[in-house]
Amino acid sequence: PGDFQTFGAVMVTPKNFYRLMSTGQAGLLFPGGVREVFHGKGEEYELFWPEKADFVRVAARFNATIVPISAVGSADSANILFDPE
């Protein structure tokens, strides 16, 4: 949590996602959450998905458009910046 909440981030739960969709808000969803964003060494290119993908059902219920995206290399850039070895 912490700094991510400053920008309106909420924990990835079906309940939170339902609230966003039911109020007509757009959502940028990282299913692996903060854990995936700040992965450890040796965990590069690993996905940390929740066991249940209820967010897909919620999006379908509200006829939301799902646009899958990927950013290969962004974590590598941070590693170079913070850990140059």
Side-chain angles (χ1 to χ4, degrees), residues 53-67:
D54 292 329
F55 58 90
V56 175
R57 282 188 278 283
V58 172
R61 179 176 180 160
F62 289 98
N63 200 29
T65 301
I66 298 174
V67 181

Side-chain angles (χ1 to χ4, degrees), residues 22-64:
S22 67
T23 57
Q25 298 183 57
L28 179 59
L29 179 67
F30 293 91
V34 174
R35 170 70 180 97
E36 187 172 303
V37 172
F38 292 114
H39 62 76
K41 288 190 177 201
E43 295 177 330
E44 296 87 358
Y45 309 108
E46 219 176 294
L47 296 175
F48 299 93
W49 287 74
E51 288 188 27
K52 293 183 179 180
D54 292 329
F55 58 90
V56 175
R57 282 188 278 283
V58 172
R61 179 176 180 160
F62 289 98
N63 200 29

Side-chain angles (χ1 to χ4, degrees), residues 45 69-77:
Y45 309 108
I69 60 170
S70 176
V72 176
S74 57
D76 296 331
S77 299

